[in-house]
Amino acid sequence: LTAGPFQRDDAFSRRFGRFARSKADEAALADIRGVRHVVAKRKELIQDGAATLVAYILHEGWMCSYKRLPDGGRQIMDIRLPGDFIGVTGLFSAVSDRDIEALTDCVVSEVDKAHLISGMRLSPMLAEAVMWNIARDDAIAAQHLVNLGRRSALGRLVYFLLELGARLHDAGKGTSTTYECPLSQQMLADTLGLTSIHLNRVLRSLREREWLTLNGGVVEFLNPSVLRQLVGFDPSYLTHVAEED
Amino acid sequence: LTAGPFQRDDAFSRRFGRFARSKADEAALADIRGVRHVVAKRKELIQDGAATLVAYILHEGWMCSYKRLPDGGRQIMDIRLPGDFIGVTGLFSAVSDRDIEALTDCVVSEVDKAHLISGMRLSPMLAEAVMWNIARDDAIAAQHLVNLGRRSALGRLVYFLLELGARLHDAGKGTSTTYECPLSQQMLADTLGLTSIHLNRVLRSLREREWLTLNGGVVEFLNPSVLRQLVGFDPSYLTHVAEED
DNA sequence: CGCGCTCTTGACTAGGGTCAAGTGCAGTGG
DNA sequence: CCACTGCACTTGACCCTAGTCAAGAGCGCG
């Protein structure tokens, strides 16, 4: 894993290339990418309360954003995957309201605020792409909210793993029924508002029903259609559809 | 309640006026406001699945956005108050992923997408103000997520009512210890991921401890400092702080 | 007057948290 | 090669928070 040069199969290019209609568009996309960094597993990229100076594009690896509670617990807000922006909305508030941590070794590139704004002004396509991405993250957060507020532990886990699978597929990872998932049970629990003990019980129940397994960091859907129907999963909010004109 | 002309004490002007530094800025702010409408209580402003053509500024009244679940339940994502944008991020996805409904009689004005984008391009201040607002809504959603994932029923209710109070104060409504709240117990429950029955029990418990009351549509904090400390409420994410330069 | 809505309360249930003990395994050092 | 340690994962027993079911009160409205 190195902070090497631009690659065509980069998840960011896959996602945003769909918006580009001209050479100028592609140049605008390439232009917002600043310095590339490698971020080691377990290192914090952004701290809660720290000034928000730059955002990032995540090229390789998994990250998560979370909040700590007064009582010591934590709530993971979102998992960030290759191709995702990190901390874009945060650029417009004075300080970050959450921590962001690398779950695996990661490659990111910086996105400078002034640079991003001027890029969006010059390229309507870039503005559209960035705003669509913000809307997508918003839709993901909304689903997460529904998950925590109104679904059982089993439903939450199923929905979350299905959504992760769809997002990974979008980033060019995994197959339609299986993917690698570096999240520990404790992390899944912190995401879904459960204890790791209960999460373990739910996983066993899913295994025994032969619906899905999570073993050695690999998620496998044994019965995807039942799972999708169970929680009403419709992944259309995750991918951009071009406007008809 | 009429869809009358622009007013100086409008919550939107209060919120966004802080960003303006010139006559041109004020003109840009005034310029994105389109047609004014009155929306009757219980009417839907935006439907889940409908094409997203325009956004709105909420001038008067309360609205909420929610999602319905396959099993008939619902999760309220957020309460929208005077001065808030409605459906701005939604402008950048093809269809809305939630319903938005008036909880009281409301006054809104339309915000046209093309108009908004050109305004943001011409006025850096407008761009900054709109993006800050998106970041603020994001921070509110993040707190909501923490609420649902990691707090007890009592903690959720306390945090939510404190936050509402702070947001209303920002909009020029209520006092430091009391405000009018048109939300039924069923709506509060749908917001906080609880049943209305349990919400009622929690309200009783808060009343008996003499911490807060909700009676006849009026919230009153009897012991604000205890409540704030209980849930670690810090309202700084709700108001914009000007950058030092 | 009766209908329908929100709110209230009680009795019972169940989903998920807490506490505690134990397994499996990757490192590490003797 | 084998202890020793630490961490993630498992499982069981028990408890408590919040959901379910049911009944009734208060009140605005046609």
Side-chain angles (χ1 to χ4, degrees), chain A residues 10 13-14 21 28 34 40 44 57 71 95 115 122 140 157 198 206 208 217 223 231 243 245:
Chain A
D10 182 291
S13 311
R14 281 173 63 96
R21 306 229 168 144
E44 286 198 343
I57 293 163
D71 68 10
V95 294
H115 215 129
L122 293 171
I140 291 171
L157 179 57
H198 193 63
L206 285 165
E208 285 170 356
N223 200 333
V231 296
E243 294 168 44
D245 37 7

Side-chain angles (χ1 to χ4, degrees), chain A residues 234-241:
Chain A
D234 168 11
S236 60
Y237 62 98
L238 294 171
T239 44
H240 181 72
V241 283

Side-chain angles (χ1 to χ4, degrees), chain A residues 19-31 122-126:
Chain A
F19 289 86
R21 306 229 168 144
S22 67
K23 289 283 172 199
D25 285 350
E26 289 187 19
L29 275 175
D31 207 45
L122 293 171
S123 164
M125 167 264 143
L126 181 64

